[in-house]
Amino acid sequence: MKISFNLFVFLIAILVVSCQNTGNKHTGSSLAQPADAKVVDMRPAAQVAFLNKIEAASAYEHQSNAIAKDQSITAYNKYAKDSLKNINDWVLQVVEINDNAYDVNSVIKVLGNTDDIPVYNLMLVSEIKDDPSTDTIGINNRVDFTYTIPKNPKTDELKNNLKIIKSLKAGDMVVVSGSLMHVNEKGKLDYAAFFENSMPWNVDLLIKSIRKKE
C-alpha cells in the first residue's frame, strides 16, 4: 500500500508541473503580457504631453465643478497659445478623406466659404496609449484632428500637401508638422467647448509639412 501511495503522489506532482508549464507558455504569448510590462512610446514628448493634458481635461471634476472648469479652460487656452503653435513630427493615423462641408475645421466654419471654395478634409487620429495588461489600445486620451485644404490650392506648399494626401488611405500613418488650433464662433482661439462634454476632442490641424510614415 505504501508503494501505491508514493506512486500516486508522484503522478500528481507531474500533473501539477505540466499545468504550470502550459500556463507559462500562454502568458508569454503575444496575446497576454505581464500587468507591469512597460510600453516605450516613441512619439515626440510634446505630443505625449498634449495627450496627457487632454486626459486630465476630461476629469470628472470639470464636469461637476464650474469654477474648476473655468480655471482649467483659462490655463489650457494659455498652454495652447504658448505650446501648440509649432508642433514637429507628430505621428497620426488617417481615418478618412472627405469633402463634407459639415466636417471642415473650426477656422473654415467661421469663415463660412466652403460653397465658394470646395475643400477636402483629412481626418486624423492620435491613437492613444497601449495597455499592456490587456493587449488593447486605450482611448482615454484620444484626439481627432481635421486638416481642411482647398481642392484646387494656389500655393506650392498646399499643392504639395494635397499631392501627398491623395496618396493616402484609411489606416495609413503620417508624420506632420505645423500647429494646432480651435476657435469659437467669433474666430478667437478658445478650447472651452471641449470641456463641456467627454467626447473625443476634434482639433484643427494646420499642416506645414506632411509625409507618409515608413
Side-chain angles (χ1 to χ4, degrees):
M1 179 67 83
K2 184 176 181 180
I3 294 175
S4 297
F5 178 78
N6 289 340
L7 179 59
F8 175 77
V9 172
F10 179 71
L11 292 174
I12 291 296
I14 292 176
L15 181 61
V16 170
V17 171
S18 176
C19 290
Q20 288 178 338
N21 288 339
T22 302
N24 289 340
K25 289 180 180 179
H26 178 71
T27 302
S29 72
S30 61
L31 297 178
Q33 303 179 38
D36 59 351
K38 294 183 178 179
V39 176
V40 178
D41 197 327
M42 301 302 292
R43 293 173 296 186
Q47 183 178 358
V48 176
F50 168 74
L51 294 175
N52 288 338
K53 283 185 176 293
I54 301 304
E55 184 175 357
S58 302
Y60 174 73
E61 64 190 65
H62 296 136
Q63 308 298 324
S64 60
N65 187 326
I67 294 175
K69 182 180 69 175
D70 288 345
Q71 290 174 339
S72 296
I73 291 171
T74 299
Y76 194 90
N77 282 343
K78 184 178 187 308
Y79 159 74
K81 184 177 181 181
D82 294 342
S83 304
L84 301 181
K85 297 182 297 184
N86 186 23
I87 65 170
N88 292 293
D89 295 336
W90 283 23
V91 181
L92 304 174
Q93 182 174 336
V94 178
V95 176
E96 68 176 2
I97 303 166
N98 67 48
D99 58 0
N100 190 337
Y102 179 80
D103 286 333
V104 300
N105 65 28
S106 66
V107 172
I108 301 300
K109 284 180 179 177
V110 171
L111 295 176
N113 61 350
T114 53
D115 291 334
D116 299 328
I117 306 177
V119 298
Y120 289 119
N121 300 301
L122 173 63
M123 316 298 289
L124 303 165
V125 65
S126 185
E127 270 188 316
I128 332 304
K129 61 182 180 182
D130 294 319
D131 181 353
S133 65
T134 59
D135 195 40
T136 61
I137 295 179
I139 59 171
N140 53 325
N141 60 345
R142 168 182 174 138
V143 181
D144 294 317
F145 300 85
T146 300
Y147 175 55
T148 300
I149 184 172
K151 288 186 176 183
N152 299 294
K154 303 301 182 183
T155 69
D156 290 340
E157 180 180 292
L158 290 178
K159 288 178 181 178
N160 183 64
N161 287 352
L162 183 58
K163 179 180 179 180
I164 295 172
I165 289 170
K166 286 182 175 180
S167 72
L168 301 174
K169 63 182 184 302
D172 285 345
M173 303 300 295
V174 295
V175 181
V176 301
S177 296
S179 60
L180 302 185
M181 182 180 291
H182 186 270
V183 298
N184 58 26
E185 63 279 1
K186 297 180 180 179
K188 181 180 179 181
L189 186 148
D190 186 8
Y191 285 76
F194 297 121
F195 288 80
E196 301 296 338
N197 55 62
S198 58
M199 297 297 289
W201 290 29
N202 193 321
V203 179
D204 297 2
L205 175 60
L206 309 180
I207 293 178
K208 291 182 179 177
S209 67
I210 180 172
R211 69 179 189 273
K212 189 171 182 179
K213 190 174 184 296
E214 300 298 332

